[in-house]
Amino acid sequence: MIHISNRAKQLQPSATLGMAARVRKLKAEGVDIISFAVGEPDFETPEHIREVGKKAIDEGLTRYTPSNGIPELRAAVREKLKADNGLSYSDDEITITCGAKQAIYDALQVIVDPGDEVIVPAPYWVSYPDQVILAGGVPKILNADQADAFRVAPEQLAKAITPKTRAVILNYPSNPSGSSYGRGQFEQLGRVIAEKKIAVISDEIYEKLLYTGERHCSIAEACPECKDLTLVINGVSKAYAMTGWRMGFAAGPKTVISKMTGLISQQNSGIPGFVQKACIEALKGPQDEVENMRREFNARRDLMLEGILSIPGMRCHAPDGAFYLLPDIKAYLGRSWKGSKIADAGALADYLIEEAHVATVGGDPFGAPGFIRLSYATSRPKIEEGVARLSKALSRLA
């Protein structure tokens, strides 16, 4: 029998991908499932981006590329960070990755030694704790205050930092809560981070899906003394409906970025040239469709939030961005279904997919027990029908 490593034994499969697989299976069996589980836009990649990608294939851009990305794409990322975020980086302070997920994974591999602590505010994206563990680190879960829409307070962060703390992961707007931070909040958090000299992995993949009317602000911009401690992570997956193209990037200190690039050279060598050409078009081309998608997501957010709040016992804050709601479903825990108690959010999600044919994801894998995550990255008619099904199914619980 082949030996399985201890780190592999600790690894948990992605709850969101697991539910997506379950939805595909049920649909293949002919079950009419409405999915609020998937974390990807339901729009097509804009046509002008697709055309550039197809042309690049025809032009033969199908061979190896530099591990840190072709120079033209790094330049486009550099221009984007300057124009959108007020952040200046040199060419060797940027590396291109296979999605933002690889950027976060590689950053942790480079900066974390065995036993180092990484602060992970909860609720969190499901992959953060496992990626810390795979780097040999210890995820230190910091439960953010529900009353403040799950935003971390500066004094809370300061108290959590120990001599073993290597970094904190911040995600804004957040998956799964949709909450974000303003400049003033980041100035306060930044002072703590700069004083303690810990790294910040700043996951800003939902940057362009913000509904507050304010411009997205990176902690590296709001707190200049944090810039050299920050790894800005972003990509094209969410804003440009390009989840399958797999392009992300990291920007930060050259000492870290160079090691991340070296790691990429030993992992997957780099992403395809035709993908990179399409991503240049995404970043530098017309942005009209990005704004159209943002407005539609905003309308869907309002529609789903209104429906969820109309269900007795459900509580939910209005998210600032991304495309998720995180409603509190504790009022329904402990109720009976098929002769047994619904003990947790995962069990409620099982009930909802079986009885309502609506796919949701229980909050426990996100560090949010007593909550479920709902994605409104689907059409308005499906949102209306899905919420009606949820309401009816929940009303049947004894």
Side-chain angles (χ1 to χ4, degrees):
M1 181 180 294
I2 296 176
H3 171 74
I4 302 298
S5 69
N6 288 329
R7 64 180 174 276
K9 289 176 182 176
Q10 295 180 71
L11 182 63
Q12 298 297 318
S14 168
T16 53
L17 295 182
M19 180 57 80
R22 188 173 177 184
V23 168
R24 286 193 297 271
K25 181 177 183 295
L26 288 169
K27 285 185 174 181
E29 294 170 356
V31 182
D32 176 25
I33 297 290
I34 291 178
S35 180
F36 293 158
V38 180
E40 67 176 343
D42 59 323
F43 301 101
E44 293 296 332
T45 302
E47 184 179 4
H48 66 100
I49 298 172
R50 300 199 309 268
E51 290 302 318
V52 169
K54 287 186 282 187
K55 183 181 177 184
I57 292 175
D58 292 338
E59 291 175 348
L61 290 178
T62 57
R63 300 182 184 277
Y64 290 129
T65 60
S67 295
N68 61 346
I70 60 176
E72 305 97 304
L73 179 55
R74 293 200 308 276
V77 169
R78 190 168 63 248
E79 292 166 13
K80 171 260 178 294
L81 289 166
K82 182 64 176 177
D84 292 352
N85 309 111
L87 295 171
S88 297
Y89 292 96
S90 60
D91 184 70
D92 54 9
E93 292 179 319
I94 294 169
T95 196
I96 305 302
T97 60
C98 184
K101 181 182 283 189
Q102 186 189 21
I104 298 165
Y105 179 90
D106 286 358
L108 289 165
Q109 291 290 325
V110 167
I111 69 175
V112 173
D113 280 321
D116 285 346
E117 294 176 351
V118 177
I119 295 173
V120 181
Y124 45 73
W125 180 45
V126 293
S127 292
Y128 293 152
D130 285 289
Q131 289 194 351
V132 172
I133 291 168
L134 287 170
V138 179
K140 187 170 184 178
I141 308 304
L142 184 60
N143 291 303
D145 189 356
Q146 181 182 354
D148 192 26
F150 302 109
R151 297 181 185 90
V152 174
E155 57 273 13
Q156 185 184 23
L157 178 61
K159 188 176 180 180
I161 295 172
T162 75
K164 292 184 178 181
T165 303
R166 182 66 59 207
V168 59
I169 301 177
L170 296 176
N171 173 213
Y172 52 98
S174 161
N175 174 5
S177 72
S179 296
S180 196
Y181 295 84
R183 180 181 293 271
Q185 293 165 314
F186 270 148
E187 288 173 351
Q188 296 179 56
L189 285 171
R191 282 195 287 270
V192 173
I193 290 163
E195 179 186 346
K196 300 293 185 178
K197 292 182 172 56
I198 64 171
V200 185
I201 295 176
S202 183
D203 183 353
E204 305 179 31
I205 192 66
Y206 293 96
E207 166 194 6
K208 292 188 180 294
L209 300 179
L210 193 64
Y211 317 122
T212 61
E214 300 176 0
R215 184 179 72 85
H216 172 86
C217 181
S218 172
I219 190 170
E221 177 192 11
C223 184
E225 58 265 44
C226 279
K227 183 171 181 286
D228 289 341
L229 296 168
T230 301
L231 290 164
V232 174
I233 309 294
N234 210 325
V236 297
S237 292
K238 311 300 183 178
Y240 298 92
M242 296 177 71
T243 52
W245 293 76
R246 309 312 302 140
M247 192 287 278
F249 62 81
K254 180 172 65 174
T255 51
V256 177
I257 296 298
S258 64
K259 294 298 182 184
M260 289 178 64
T261 297
L263 188 55
I264 292 166
S265 74
Q266 300 290 1
Q267 287 174 321
N268 60 1
S269 299
I271 66 172
F274 58 87
V275 168
Q276 297 190 54
K277 282 290 188 178
C279 292
I280 294 170
E281 176 65 16
L283 295 174
K284 300 185 70 171
Q287 303 294 303
D288 308 48
E289 291 191 59
V290 176
E291 175 58 16
N292 290 339
M293 286 188 279
R294 189 198 68 81
R295 289 180 177 176
E296 176 60 20
F297 281 131
N298 192 358
R300 294 175 181 184
R301 176 199 70 160
D302 295 344
L303 179 64
M304 180 178 275
L305 183 62
E306 181 182 9
I308 290 299
L309 292 177
S310 72
I311 300 174
M314 294 282 251
R315 295 187 298 147
C316 188
H317 71 277
D320 299 320
F323 36 67
Y324 309 104
L325 295 187
L326 191 67
D328 183 330
I329 48 81
K330 298 185 189 75
Y332 291 94
L333 300 185
R335 299 195 184 191
S336 296
W337 173 44
K338 292 183 177 179
S340 59
K341 298 287 186 182
I342 294 179
D344 56 29
L348 185 67
D350 288 337
Y351 168 76
L352 293 173
I353 197 169
E354 289 194 33
E355 297 297 318
H357 293 168
V358 176
T360 65
V361 186
D364 294 72
F366 298 94
F371 295 79
I372 56 173
R373 192 194 74 167
L374 307 175
S375 168
Y376 46 89
T378 190
S379 70
R380 296 193 214 186
K382 287 184 178 179
I383 290 172
E384 291 177 326
E385 172 64 18
V387 170
R389 291 186 189 184
L390 291 179
S391 180
K392 186 176 180 180
L394 290 170
S395 71
R396 291 200 302 265
L397 284 175

